[in-house]
Amino acid sequence: MDEHDEDRSPDQPETPRPRVGEGVRIIGAEEAAAALETGQAAGRRPEDEPKFGDVPPSPPSGPDVQVRFPLPESVDPAHLPRPPVAAAPPEAPPQAPPVGPRPPGTRAPGATADLPRGPAPELRHWTEPGTGEVPEVLAGAGGGAEGHGEEHGGGGRGPRWRDRHSDWQETDFEEAFVLGDEETRLGALDTSRGEESDLYRFDEPVVGGRASAGPVPSGPPGGEAGPPTPITTRPPHDQEADYGGGSSRNVRTAVVTGIAVGVLALLAFKLGPLVSLLVVIATIGLAAIEIFAVLRRAGYRPATLLGLTATVAVLIGAYTKGEAAIPLMVAMTLMFSLLWYFVGATRARPTINVAVTLLGFIWVGVLGSYAALLLNPTLHPHRRGVAFLFGAVLATVAYDVTSFFFGSQFGRRPLAPGISPNKTWEGLIAGMASAVFISVLIVGNVHPWSFKRGLALGLVVAVAAPLGDLCESMVKRDIGVKDMGSLLPGHGGLLDRFDAMLFVLPSVYYLVRLLKIG
Protein backbone atom coordinates (compact mmCIF):
# COMPACT_ATOMS: atom_id res chain seq x y z
CA MET A 1 0.00 0.00 0.00
CA ASP A 2 1.46 3.39 -1.02
CA GLU A 3 1.04 6.78 0.63
CA HIS A 4 -2.12 7.60 -1.39
CA ASP A 5 -3.82 4.51 -0.07
CA GLU A 6 -3.06 5.59 3.47
CA ASP A 7 -4.76 9.02 2.93
CA ARG A 8 -8.00 7.48 1.51
CA SER A 9 -10.75 6.73 4.00
CA PRO A 10 -12.00 3.15 4.33
CA ASP A 11 -15.51 4.11 3.13
CA GLN A 12 -14.32 5.80 -0.16
CA PRO A 13 -14.60 3.38 -3.12
CA GLU A 14 -11.49 2.59 -5.02
CA THR A 15 -11.40 4.13 -8.56
CA PRO A 16 -9.88 2.06 -11.31
CA ARG A 17 -6.61 3.37 -12.64
CA PRO A 18 -6.22 3.74 -16.40
CA ARG A 19 -3.75 1.40 -17.90
CA VAL A 20 -0.84 2.77 -19.83
CA GLY A 21 -1.51 2.83 -23.59
CA GLU A 22 -5.37 2.73 -23.38
CA GLY A 23 -6.82 5.29 -25.96
CA VAL A 24 -9.97 3.63 -27.36
CA ARG A 25 -12.65 1.95 -25.31
CA ILE A 26 -15.47 -0.10 -26.71
CA ILE A 27 -18.83 0.76 -25.17
CA GLY A 28 -22.08 -1.06 -25.22
CA ALA A 29 -25.43 -0.11 -26.73
CA GLU A 30 -26.89 1.24 -23.53
CA GLU A 31 -23.87 3.44 -22.86
CA ALA A 32 -23.92 4.71 -26.48
CA ALA A 33 -27.62 5.61 -26.27
CA ALA A 34 -26.97 7.54 -23.06
CA ALA A 35 -24.12 9.47 -24.78
CA LEU A 36 -26.39 10.42 -27.69
CA GLU A 37 -29.12 11.62 -25.34
CA THR A 38 -26.73 13.79 -23.32
CA GLY A 39 -25.08 15.25 -26.46
CA GLN A 40 -21.66 13.77 -25.78
CA ALA A 41 -21.69 11.96 -29.14
CA ALA A 42 -23.16 12.73 -32.58
CA GLY A 43 -25.23 10.37 -34.64
CA ARG A 44 -24.69 9.28 -38.23
CA ARG A 45 -25.06 12.02 -40.87
CA PRO A 46 -27.85 11.66 -43.45
CA GLU A 47 -26.85 10.42 -46.87
CA ASP A 48 -27.80 13.71 -48.64
CA GLU A 49 -25.63 15.98 -46.42
CA PRO A 50 -22.07 16.84 -47.53
CA LYS A 51 -19.33 15.01 -45.76
CA PHE A 52 -15.68 15.68 -45.23
CA GLY A 53 -13.76 15.20 -48.47
CA ASP A 54 -16.75 15.68 -50.83
CA VAL A 55 -16.06 17.70 -54.02
CA PRO A 56 -18.48 20.65 -54.58
CA PRO A 57 -20.44 20.76 -57.85
CA SER A 58 -18.99 22.63 -60.80
CA PRO A 59 -20.28 26.16 -61.56
CA PRO A 60 -22.69 26.61 -64.45
CA SER A 61 -21.00 26.57 -67.83
CA GLY A 62 -20.72 29.79 -69.80
CA PRO A 63 -18.32 32.00 -71.69
CA ASP A 64 -15.16 32.98 -69.88
CA VAL A 65 -14.23 36.64 -69.95
CA GLN A 66 -10.86 36.87 -71.67
CA VAL A 67 -10.15 40.56 -70.95
CA ARG A 68 -8.86 42.38 -67.91
CA PHE A 69 -9.77 45.70 -66.36
CA PRO A 70 -9.21 48.38 -67.51
CA LEU A 71 -10.43 47.55 -70.98
CA PRO A 72 -8.26 48.63 -73.90
CA GLU A 73 -9.64 51.27 -76.22
CA SER A 74 -10.06 48.70 -79.02
CA VAL A 75 -12.57 46.64 -77.00
CA ASP A 76 -16.24 47.63 -76.91
CA PRO A 77 -17.83 46.66 -73.57
CA ALA A 78 -21.24 46.14 -75.22
CA HIS A 79 -19.97 43.24 -77.37
CA LEU A 80 -18.20 41.32 -74.63
CA PRO A 81 -19.61 37.85 -73.79
CA ARG A 82 -21.14 37.76 -70.34
CA PRO A 83 -21.79 34.81 -68.05
CA PRO A 84 -25.42 33.91 -67.43
CA VAL A 85 -27.12 35.46 -64.43
CA ALA A 86 -28.03 32.90 -61.81
CA ALA A 87 -31.70 32.65 -61.00
CA ALA A 88 -32.90 34.07 -57.73
CA PRO A 89 -33.73 31.56 -55.03
CA PRO A 90 -37.42 30.80 -54.59
CA GLU A 91 -39.23 32.98 -52.12
CA ALA A 92 -40.31 31.43 -48.88
CA PRO A 93 -44.06 31.13 -48.45
CA PRO A 94 -45.54 33.95 -46.40
CA GLN A 95 -46.09 33.18 -42.80
CA ALA A 96 -49.36 33.83 -41.13
CA PRO A 97 -49.29 36.82 -38.76
CA PRO A 98 -49.47 35.97 -35.09
CA VAL A 99 -52.82 36.09 -33.50
CA GLY A 100 -53.36 38.80 -30.95
CA PRO A 101 -52.28 42.42 -30.50
CA ARG A 102 -48.64 43.33 -31.26
CA PRO A 103 -46.69 45.10 -28.51
CA PRO A 104 -46.21 48.85 -29.16
CA GLY A 105 -42.94 49.86 -30.87
CA THR A 106 -42.54 46.51 -32.70
CA ARG A 107 -43.02 45.52 -36.34
CA ALA A 108 -44.15 42.34 -37.97
CA PRO A 109 -41.34 40.00 -39.10
CA GLY A 110 -39.98 41.13 -42.43
CA ALA A 111 -41.69 44.55 -42.33
CA THR A 112 -39.65 47.64 -43.31
CA ALA A 113 -39.54 51.01 -41.62
CA ASP A 114 -42.05 52.88 -43.81
CA LEU A 115 -39.95 52.65 -46.98
CA PRO A 116 -41.51 53.53 -50.34
CA ARG A 117 -43.18 50.67 -52.17
CA GLY A 118 -42.72 49.77 -55.81
CA PRO A 119 -40.47 47.88 -58.17
CA ALA A 120 -36.75 48.25 -57.61
CA PRO A 121 -34.89 50.17 -60.35
CA GLU A 122 -32.86 48.09 -62.74
CA LEU A 123 -29.13 48.43 -62.09
CA ARG A 124 -26.79 48.96 -64.98
CA HIS A 125 -23.77 46.77 -65.46
CA TRP A 126 -20.49 48.15 -64.17
CA THR A 127 -18.96 48.08 -67.66
CA GLU A 128 -21.64 50.38 -69.11
CA PRO A 129 -21.05 54.15 -69.20
CA GLY A 130 -22.71 56.39 -66.62
CA THR A 131 -26.07 58.06 -67.32
CA GLY A 132 -25.28 61.36 -65.56
CA GLU A 133 -28.44 61.18 -63.47
CA VAL A 134 -28.42 62.63 -59.95
CA PRO A 135 -29.10 60.05 -57.21
CA GLU A 136 -32.28 60.49 -55.26
CA VAL A 137 -32.59 59.88 -51.54
CA LEU A 138 -36.05 58.71 -50.54
CA ALA A 139 -36.21 59.07 -46.78
CA GLY A 140 -39.89 59.69 -46.14
CA ALA A 141 -43.14 57.92 -46.65
CA GLY A 142 -44.06 60.44 -49.35
CA GLY A 143 -41.33 59.15 -51.58
CA GLY A 144 -40.36 61.41 -54.48
CA ALA A 145 -37.88 64.21 -54.85
CA GLU A 146 -40.63 66.77 -54.68
CA GLY A 147 -41.65 65.96 -51.15
CA HIS A 148 -38.40 65.45 -49.35
CA GLY A 149 -37.57 69.14 -49.15
CA GLU A 150 -40.54 70.05 -47.02
CA GLU A 151 -40.06 67.14 -44.67
CA HIS A 152 -36.41 67.82 -43.96
CA GLY A 153 -36.72 71.56 -44.03
CA GLY A 154 -38.72 71.33 -40.85
CA GLY A 155 -35.89 69.94 -38.78
CA GLY A 156 -35.63 66.31 -39.86
CA ARG A 157 -32.35 64.55 -39.21
CA GLY A 158 -32.47 62.07 -42.12
CA PRO A 159 -30.11 62.25 -45.09
CA ARG A 160 -30.88 64.80 -47.76
CA TRP A 161 -29.48 65.38 -51.22
CA ARG A 162 -28.89 69.05 -52.03
CA ASP A 163 -28.44 70.03 -55.66
CA ARG A 164 -30.31 73.35 -55.87
CA HIS A 165 -29.56 76.76 -54.41
CA SER A 166 -32.80 76.74 -52.41
CA ASP A 167 -31.62 73.61 -50.59
CA TRP A 168 -29.00 75.65 -48.73
CA GLN A 169 -31.29 78.13 -47.02
CA GLU A 170 -30.42 79.26 -43.51
CA THR A 171 -33.52 77.61 -42.05
CA ASP A 172 -32.05 74.22 -42.92
CA PHE A 173 -29.05 74.86 -40.68
CA GLU A 174 -30.54 75.92 -37.35
CA GLU A 175 -27.86 73.98 -35.47
CA ALA A 176 -24.96 75.23 -37.58
CA PHE A 177 -23.92 77.58 -34.79
CA VAL A 178 -22.00 74.73 -33.17
CA LEU A 179 -19.54 74.92 -36.06
CA GLY A 180 -19.01 78.67 -35.72
CA ASP A 181 -15.94 80.29 -34.16
CA GLU A 182 -17.17 83.37 -32.34
CA GLU A 183 -14.41 83.42 -29.73
CA THR A 184 -11.76 86.12 -29.62
CA ARG A 185 -8.85 85.35 -31.90
CA LEU A 186 -5.44 85.60 -30.28
CA GLY A 187 -1.86 85.75 -31.45
CA ALA A 188 -1.27 85.04 -35.13
CA LEU A 189 -5.01 84.29 -35.64
CA ASP A 190 -5.99 87.86 -34.74
CA THR A 191 -6.91 89.45 -38.07
CA SER A 192 -7.28 92.92 -36.49
CA ARG A 193 -3.55 93.26 -35.82
CA GLY A 194 -1.50 95.71 -37.79
CA GLU A 195 1.67 94.93 -39.67
CA GLU A 196 3.79 96.13 -36.77
CA SER A 197 2.13 93.87 -34.23
CA ASP A 198 3.94 90.97 -32.62
CA LEU A 199 2.41 87.82 -34.14
CA TYR A 200 3.77 85.69 -31.32
CA ARG A 201 2.01 87.67 -28.61
CA PHE A 202 -1.23 87.11 -26.77
CA ASP A 203 -3.14 90.16 -25.59
CA GLU A 204 -3.37 90.89 -21.91
CA PRO A 205 -6.77 90.68 -20.18
CA VAL A 206 -8.67 93.93 -20.65
CA VAL A 207 -9.49 95.64 -17.38
CA GLY A 208 -11.64 98.73 -17.41
CA GLY A 209 -11.42 99.19 -21.17
CA ARG A 210 -7.62 99.17 -21.30
CA ALA A 211 -5.04 96.46 -21.65
CA SER A 212 -3.30 95.52 -18.49
CA ALA A 213 0.22 96.90 -18.28
CA GLY A 214 1.39 94.81 -15.38
CA PRO A 215 3.65 91.82 -15.78
CA VAL A 216 2.21 88.37 -15.55
CA PRO A 217 3.56 86.55 -12.50
CA SER A 218 5.96 83.78 -13.28
CA GLY A 219 5.36 80.17 -12.43
CA PRO A 220 6.59 78.48 -9.30
CA PRO A 221 10.34 78.19 -8.96
CA GLY A 222 11.70 74.91 -10.04
CA GLY A 223 13.22 73.12 -12.94
CA GLU A 224 10.43 73.92 -15.39
CA ALA A 225 10.80 76.83 -17.78
CA GLY A 226 9.12 80.12 -17.07
CA PRO A 227 5.95 81.30 -18.81
CA PRO A 228 6.07 83.04 -22.18
CA THR A 229 6.89 86.72 -21.94
CA PRO A 230 3.65 88.70 -22.22
CA ILE A 231 3.66 92.02 -24.04
CA THR A 232 1.08 94.67 -23.29
CA THR A 233 -1.05 96.08 -26.03
CA ARG A 234 -1.67 99.68 -26.87
CA PRO A 235 -4.74 101.48 -25.51
CA PRO A 236 -7.67 102.14 -27.82
CA HIS A 237 -7.60 105.23 -30.01
CA ASP A 238 -10.30 106.89 -27.92
CA GLN A 239 -8.04 106.64 -24.86
CA GLU A 240 -4.82 107.93 -26.41
CA ALA A 241 -2.24 109.22 -23.98
CA ASP A 242 0.37 111.89 -24.58
CA TYR A 243 3.25 109.63 -25.52
CA GLY A 244 5.57 112.26 -26.78
CA GLY A 245 5.19 115.04 -24.30
CA GLY A 246 3.34 118.22 -25.04
CA SER A 247 1.35 121.02 -23.57
CA SER A 248 -0.01 118.85 -20.75
CA ARG A 249 3.18 119.27 -18.66
CA ASN A 250 3.44 121.80 -15.82
CA VAL A 251 5.50 124.53 -17.45
CA ARG A 252 6.48 126.35 -14.25
CA THR A 253 7.67 123.16 -12.57
CA ALA A 254 9.48 122.14 -15.72
CA VAL A 255 11.32 125.48 -15.89
CA VAL A 256 12.43 125.29 -12.28
CA THR A 257 13.64 121.72 -12.71
CA GLY A 258 15.45 122.63 -15.94
CA ILE A 259 17.26 125.53 -14.31
CA ALA A 260 18.39 123.33 -11.41
CA VAL A 261 19.73 120.64 -13.75
CA GLY A 262 21.45 123.30 -15.89
CA VAL A 263 23.21 124.81 -12.88
CA LEU A 264 24.42 121.36 -11.80
CA ALA A 265 25.77 120.67 -15.30
CA LEU A 266 27.60 124.01 -15.51
CA LEU A 267 29.16 123.43 -12.09
CA ALA A 268 30.38 119.98 -13.18
CA PHE A 269 31.86 121.44 -16.38
CA LYS A 270 33.62 124.07 -14.33
CA LEU A 271 35.21 121.47 -12.04
CA GLY A 272 36.72 119.48 -14.90
CA PRO A 273 36.44 116.21 -16.83
CA LEU A 274 36.48 113.82 -13.88
CA VAL A 275 33.58 115.51 -12.06
CA SER A 276 31.73 115.78 -15.35
CA LEU A 277 32.25 112.03 -15.84
CA LEU A 278 30.69 111.33 -12.43
CA VAL A 279 27.64 113.39 -13.39
CA VAL A 280 27.45 111.54 -16.73
CA ILE A 281 27.65 108.15 -14.99
CA ALA A 282 24.88 109.12 -12.56
CA THR A 283 22.66 110.48 -15.36
CA ILE A 284 23.15 107.56 -17.74
CA GLY A 285 22.86 105.02 -14.92
CA LEU A 286 19.51 106.44 -13.76
CA ALA A 287 18.27 106.55 -17.34
CA ALA A 288 19.22 102.86 -17.71
CA ILE A 289 17.29 102.05 -14.54
CA GLU A 290 14.26 103.79 -16.06
CA ILE A 291 14.34 101.90 -19.36
CA PHE A 292 14.76 98.51 -17.70
CA ALA A 293 11.97 99.28 -15.22
CA VAL A 294 9.63 100.28 -18.06
CA LEU A 295 10.45 97.11 -19.95
CA ARG A 296 9.66 95.01 -16.88
CA ARG A 297 6.35 96.84 -16.39
CA ALA A 298 5.55 96.05 -20.01
CA GLY A 299 5.90 92.35 -19.26
CA TYR A 300 9.46 91.72 -20.45
CA ARG A 301 12.03 90.22 -18.10
CA PRO A 302 15.41 91.68 -19.07
CA ALA A 303 18.62 90.94 -17.18
CA THR A 304 18.44 94.26 -15.33
CA LEU A 305 21.45 93.76 -13.06
CA LEU A 306 23.61 92.70 -15.98
CA GLY A 307 22.43 95.64 -18.10
CA LEU A 308 23.12 98.21 -15.38
CA THR A 309 26.57 96.76 -14.68
CA ALA A 310 27.44 96.81 -18.36
CA THR A 311 26.21 100.42 -18.68
CA VAL A 312 28.46 101.71 -15.91
CA ALA A 313 31.37 99.58 -17.15
CA VAL A 314 31.18 100.89 -20.71
CA LEU A 315 31.17 104.49 -19.45
CA ILE A 316 34.28 103.92 -17.34
CA GLY A 317 35.94 101.93 -20.12
CA ALA A 318 35.28 104.64 -22.72
CA TYR A 319 36.77 107.29 -20.42
CA THR A 320 39.90 105.29 -19.61
CA LYS A 321 40.52 103.09 -22.67
CA GLY A 322 38.81 104.96 -25.50
CA GLU A 323 36.79 103.52 -28.35
CA ALA A 324 38.21 100.01 -27.96
CA ALA A 325 36.16 99.51 -24.80
CA ILE A 326 32.80 99.86 -26.60
CA PRO A 327 32.88 96.80 -28.92
CA LEU A 328 34.43 94.75 -26.12
CA MET A 329 31.58 95.60 -23.75
CA VAL A 330 28.94 94.96 -26.43
CA ALA A 331 30.34 91.48 -27.12
CA MET A 332 30.67 90.63 -23.43
CA THR A 333 27.16 91.87 -22.67
CA LEU A 334 25.72 89.72 -25.42
CA MET A 335 27.56 86.61 -24.25
CA PHE A 336 26.72 87.12 -20.59
CA SER A 337 23.08 87.86 -21.44
CA LEU A 338 22.78 84.51 -23.17
CA LEU A 339 24.47 82.80 -20.23
CA TRP A 340 22.18 84.67 -17.85
CA TYR A 341 19.14 82.86 -19.21
CA PHE A 342 21.07 79.66 -19.88
CA VAL A 343 21.88 79.14 -16.20
CA GLY A 344 18.37 80.19 -15.17
CA ALA A 345 19.21 83.43 -13.34
CA THR A 346 15.93 84.70 -14.81
CA ARG A 347 13.42 82.07 -15.90
CA ALA A 348 11.84 83.58 -18.99
CA ARG A 349 11.97 83.34 -22.76
CA PRO A 350 15.65 83.87 -23.63
CA THR A 351 15.36 85.19 -27.18
CA ILE A 352 13.09 88.18 -26.62
CA ASN A 353 14.56 89.03 -23.23
CA VAL A 354 18.17 88.94 -24.43
CA ALA A 355 17.03 91.30 -27.18
CA VAL A 356 15.43 93.80 -24.79
CA THR A 357 18.47 93.60 -22.50
CA LEU A 358 20.70 94.59 -25.40
CA LEU A 359 18.21 97.27 -26.40
CA GLY A 360 18.44 98.98 -23.01
CA PHE A 361 22.21 98.60 -22.83
CA ILE A 362 23.02 99.82 -26.36
CA TRP A 363 20.40 102.56 -26.47
CA VAL A 364 21.31 104.13 -23.14
CA GLY A 365 24.70 102.71 -22.19
CA VAL A 366 26.55 102.59 -25.51
CA LEU A 367 25.13 105.83 -26.93
CA GLY A 368 25.65 107.53 -23.59
CA SER A 369 29.25 106.31 -23.46
CA TYR A 370 30.13 108.81 -26.19
CA ALA A 371 29.87 111.50 -23.53
CA ALA A 372 32.70 109.70 -21.73
CA LEU A 373 34.62 109.54 -25.02
CA LEU A 374 34.26 113.30 -25.42
CA LEU A 375 35.58 113.76 -21.87
CA ASN A 376 38.45 111.30 -22.38
CA PRO A 377 41.61 113.25 -21.32
CA THR A 378 43.82 111.15 -23.58
CA LEU A 379 41.79 111.83 -26.71
CA HIS A 380 40.92 115.44 -25.85
CA PRO A 381 43.50 116.97 -23.49
CA HIS A 382 43.51 120.49 -22.04
CA ARG A 383 39.82 120.35 -21.08
CA ARG A 384 38.79 120.31 -24.71
CA GLY A 385 36.49 117.38 -23.98
CA VAL A 386 34.51 119.55 -21.57
CA ALA A 387 34.06 122.16 -24.34
CA PHE A 388 32.88 119.49 -26.78
CA LEU A 389 30.36 118.08 -24.33
CA PHE A 390 29.23 121.58 -23.36
CA GLY A 391 28.52 122.43 -27.00
CA ALA A 392 26.54 119.22 -27.55
CA VAL A 393 24.45 119.73 -24.41
CA LEU A 394 23.74 123.43 -25.02
CA ALA A 395 22.67 122.95 -28.66
CA THR A 396 20.42 120.04 -27.71
CA VAL A 397 18.78 121.96 -24.86
CA ALA A 398 18.18 124.88 -27.22
CA TYR A 399 16.43 122.58 -29.68
CA ASP A 400 14.33 120.88 -27.00
CA VAL A 401 13.14 124.05 -25.26
CA THR A 402 12.39 126.00 -28.43
CA SER A 403 10.58 123.16 -30.17
CA PHE A 404 8.39 122.61 -27.11
CA PHE A 405 7.51 126.30 -26.74
CA PHE A 406 6.74 126.97 -30.41
CA GLY A 407 4.99 123.64 -30.86
CA SER A 408 2.68 124.17 -27.89
CA GLN A 409 1.91 127.80 -28.75
CA PHE A 410 1.89 127.93 -32.55
CA GLY A 411 1.86 124.32 -33.68
CA ARG A 412 -0.93 123.40 -36.10
CA ARG A 413 0.40 120.62 -38.35
CA PRO A 414 1.25 117.33 -36.62
CA LEU A 415 4.73 116.04 -37.32
CA ALA A 416 4.16 112.34 -36.64
CA PRO A 417 0.61 111.77 -35.32
CA GLY A 418 1.07 108.01 -35.30
CA ILE A 419 4.07 108.29 -32.96
CA SER A 420 3.80 111.56 -31.03
CA PRO A 421 0.51 113.45 -31.50
CA ASN A 422 1.75 116.68 -29.82
CA LYS A 423 4.85 117.23 -31.94
CA THR A 424 4.33 119.66 -34.81
CA TRP A 425 6.20 120.85 -37.86
CA GLU A 426 6.27 124.39 -36.46
CA GLY A 427 7.99 123.20 -33.30
CA LEU A 428 10.47 121.12 -35.32
CA ILE A 429 11.51 123.98 -37.58
CA ALA A 430 11.81 126.41 -34.67
CA GLY A 431 13.89 123.94 -32.67
CA MET A 432 16.26 123.26 -35.56
CA ALA A 433 16.76 126.96 -36.16
CA SER A 434 17.39 127.53 -32.47
CA ALA A 435 20.01 124.75 -32.34
CA VAL A 436 21.94 126.31 -35.25
CA PHE A 437 21.61 129.82 -33.83
CA ILE A 438 22.84 128.94 -30.33
CA SER A 439 25.68 126.82 -31.73
CA VAL A 440 26.94 129.71 -33.84
CA LEU A 441 26.30 132.52 -31.37
CA ILE A 442 27.43 130.95 -28.08
CA VAL A 443 29.24 127.67 -28.70
CA GLY A 444 31.24 129.21 -31.57
CA ASN A 445 32.95 131.53 -29.04
CA VAL A 446 34.15 128.65 -26.84
CA HIS A 447 37.59 127.26 -27.66
CA PRO A 448 38.23 125.10 -29.68
CA TRP A 449 34.89 125.78 -31.40
CA SER A 450 34.65 128.52 -33.99
CA PHE A 451 32.00 130.09 -36.19
CA LYS A 452 32.21 127.45 -38.91
CA ARG A 453 32.60 124.63 -36.45
CA GLY A 454 29.67 125.96 -34.44
CA LEU A 455 27.57 126.06 -37.62
CA ALA A 456 28.47 122.45 -38.36
CA LEU A 457 27.58 121.54 -34.76
CA GLY A 458 24.20 123.24 -35.06
CA LEU A 459 23.36 121.40 -38.29
CA VAL A 460 24.33 118.05 -36.81
CA VAL A 461 22.25 118.65 -33.68
CA ALA A 462 19.30 119.90 -35.78
CA VAL A 463 19.18 116.52 -37.52
CA ALA A 464 20.12 114.14 -34.71
CA ALA A 465 18.06 115.64 -31.87
CA PRO A 466 14.61 115.29 -33.49
CA LEU A 467 15.40 111.74 -34.54
CA GLY A 468 16.33 110.75 -31.00
CA ASP A 469 13.22 112.43 -29.63
CA LEU A 470 10.90 110.70 -32.09
CA CYS A 471 12.50 107.29 -31.58
CA GLU A 472 11.98 107.51 -27.83
CA SER A 473 8.34 108.50 -28.41
CA MET A 474 7.95 105.51 -30.72
CA VAL A 475 9.21 103.13 -28.03
CA LYS A 476 6.96 104.69 -25.38
CA ARG A 477 3.95 104.41 -27.65
CA ASP A 478 4.70 100.80 -28.47
CA ILE A 479 5.05 99.90 -24.79
CA GLY A 480 2.05 102.01 -23.80
CA VAL A 481 3.48 104.55 -21.33
CA LYS A 482 3.46 108.34 -21.24
CA ASP A 483 6.72 108.93 -19.38
CA MET A 484 9.75 106.77 -18.75
CA GLY A 485 9.84 107.86 -15.11
CA SER A 486 9.03 110.64 -12.67
CA LEU A 487 12.46 111.66 -11.40
CA LEU A 488 12.34 115.15 -12.92
CA PRO A 489 9.19 117.05 -11.84
CA GLY A 490 7.47 118.59 -14.85
CA HIS A 491 9.57 116.58 -17.30
CA GLY A 492 8.98 112.94 -16.42
CA GLY A 493 12.06 110.76 -16.31
CA LEU A 494 15.68 111.43 -17.16
CA LEU A 495 15.30 109.49 -20.39
CA ASP A 496 12.39 111.74 -21.39
CA ARG A 497 14.72 114.77 -21.34
CA PHE A 498 17.92 113.13 -22.56
CA ASP A 499 16.40 111.09 -25.40
CA ALA A 500 17.59 113.57 -28.03
CA MET A 501 20.99 113.78 -26.32
CA LEU A 502 21.59 110.05 -26.84
CA PHE A 503 21.53 110.58 -30.61
CA VAL A 504 23.49 113.83 -30.44
CA LEU A 505 26.48 112.51 -28.43
CA PRO A 506 27.84 110.00 -31.01
CA SER A 507 27.08 112.49 -33.80
CA VAL A 508 29.11 115.24 -32.12
CA TYR A 509 31.94 112.84 -31.31
CA TYR A 510 32.38 111.82 -34.92
CA LEU A 511 31.97 115.44 -36.02
CA VAL A 512 34.94 116.32 -33.80
CA ARG A 513 36.88 113.44 -35.34
CA LEU A 514 35.93 114.64 -38.82
CA LEU A 515 36.93 118.26 -38.13
CA LYS A 516 40.17 117.06 -36.45
CA ILE A 517 39.85 119.46 -33.56
CA GLY A 518 40.41 116.92 -30.80
Side-chain angles (χ1 to χ4, degrees):
M1 179 179 295
D2 56 10
E3 57 182 357
H4 297 284
D5 296 335
E6 296 177 357
D7 295 337
R8 187 174 61 249
S9 62
D11 300 336
Q12 183 177 359
E14 181 179 357
T15 57
R17 298 179 181 178
R19 289 177 295 178
V20 178
E22 181 179 4
V24 177
R25 187 167 59 89
I26 300 174
I27 60 176
E30 296 180 357
E31 191 175 356
L36 290 174
E37 292 178 0
T38 57
Q40 297 179 359
R44 184 183 299 272
R45 288 177 175 272
E47 296 296 336
D48 57 345
E49 288 189 6
K51 301 179 180 59
F52 179 78
D54 292 349
V55 178
S58 300
S61 61
D64 188 13
V65 180
Q66 301 297 330
V67 295
R68 296 180 178 273
F69 183 83
L71 298 177
E73 296 181 358
S74 60
V75 178
D76 186 1
H79 297 84
L80 289 176
R82 303 176 184 177
V85 179
E91 297 183 359
Q95 299 179 358
V99 181
R102 184 181 300 113
T106 61
R107 294 193 299 268
T112 58
D114 299 331
L115 295 179
R117 305 293 181 177
E122 182 180 359
L123 299 179
R124 302 172 63 87
H125 196 268
W126 63 270
T127 58
E128 298 181 11
T131 60
E133 297 180 0
V134 178
E136 188 175 65
V137 178
L138 305 177
E146 301 297 333
H148 70 79
E150 297 179 359
E151 179 182 352
H152 290 277
R157 294 181 177 270
R160 173 175 176 184
W161 184 269
R162 305 178 187 273
D163 56 356
R164 295 187 299 271
H165 183 270
S166 59
D167 295 336
W168 300 93
Q169 299 298 327
E170 188 66 24
T171 55
D172 294 339
F173 303 94
E174 296 178 355
E175 298 181 1
F177 66 91
V178 297
L179 303 178
D181 186 9
E182 303 297 337
E183 298 182 357
T184 305
R185 296 178 179 267
L186 303 176
L189 301 179
D190 188 0
T191 57
S192 62
R193 291 180 177 271
E195 295 181 356
E196 73 281 356
S197 300
D198 183 2
L199 295 180
Y200 304 98
R201 173 179 77 196
F202 290 92
D203 295 341
E204 291 299 304
V206 177
V207 180
R210 293 195 54 161
S212 172
V216 175
S218 60
E224 63 275 4
T229 300
I231 306 173
T232 57
T233 54
R234 303 174 184 173
H237 292 290
D238 56 351
Q239 301 179 9
E240 292 287 355
D242 177 18
Y243 293 99
S247 58
S248 61
R249 74 173 69 170
N250 190 326
V251 178
R252 179 174 298 180
T253 304
V255 170
V256 173
T257 304
I259 292 176
V261 173
V263 170
L264 177 62
L266 291 176
L267 181 61
F269 292 150
K270 180 67 176 178
L271 296 177
L274 185 58
V275 177
S276 300
L277 175 66
L278 296 178
V279 174
V280 168
I281 292 176
T283 303
I284 299 300
L286 292 174
I289 293 176
E290 289 181 349
I291 183 61
F292 285 120
V294 167
L295 290 174
R296 293 189 70 87
R297 290 203 307 270
Y300 299 98
R301 302 189 65 189
T304 303
L305 180 60
L306 179 62
L308 296 178
T309 304
T311 299
V312 176
V314 74
L315 290 170
I316 298 176
Y319 182 80
T320 57
K321 301 299 181 181
E323 295 181 6
I326 296 179
L328 173 63
M329 289 305 305
V330 171
M332 292 183 62
T333 304
L334 173 59
M335 291 187 293
F336 279 99
S337 296
L338 293 170
L339 293 175
W340 184 275
Y341 296 95
F342 175 76
V343 301
T346 298
R347 298 190 179 277
R349 293 173 55 191
T351 305
I352 188 65
N353 289 292
V354 168
V356 297
T357 301
L358 292 177
L359 170 65
F361 166 66
I362 295 178
W363 184 18
V364 179
V366 173
L367 296 185
S369 66
Y370 281 89
L373 284 177
L374 290 173
L375 294 173
N376 189 308
T378 304
L379 298 176
H380 310 123
H382 310 297
R383 299 173 62 95
R384 289 187 177 185
V386 176
F388 296 149
L389 184 59
F390 170 74
V393 171
L394 187 60
T396 305
V397 171
Y399 161 80
D400 199 5
V401 173
T402 307
S403 62
F404 166 73
F405 176 76
F406 275 83
S408 59
Q409 298 297 324
F410 309 105
R412 296 295 181 269
R413 294 175 296 177
L415 175 61
I419 296 177
S420 182
N422 291 323
K423 289 182 173 59
T424 61
W425 282 100
E426 291 80 4
L428 173 66
I429 296 174
M432 296 173 68
S434 176
V436 175
F437 179 76
I438 294 298
S439 298
V440 172
L441 183 64
I442 299 179
V443 179
N445 295 320
V446 178
H447 181 75
W449 296 105
S450 63
F451 177 83
K452 293 183 179 180
R453 295 169 180 171
L455 178 61
L457 172 66
L459 294 176
V460 168
V461 173
V463 174
L467 294 178
D469 198 359
L470 289 173
C471 288
E472 195 249 5
S473 299
M474 175 187 66
V475 173
K476 290 193 297 184
R477 185 175 182 83
D478 181 71
I479 294 177
V481 297
K482 177 181 178 181
D483 295 322
M484 288 291 187
S486 58
L487 186 61
L488 299 178
H491 293 267
L494 277 171
L495 193 56
D496 294 307
R497 294 281 63 84
F498 290 95
D499 49 2
M501 187 75 65
L502 293 176
F503 274 44
V504 169
L505 290 174
S507 304
V508 172
Y509 173 78
Y510 289 109
L511 173 65
V512 171
R513 294 285 303 272
L514 180 64
L515 297 178
K516 299 180 181 180
I517 57 177

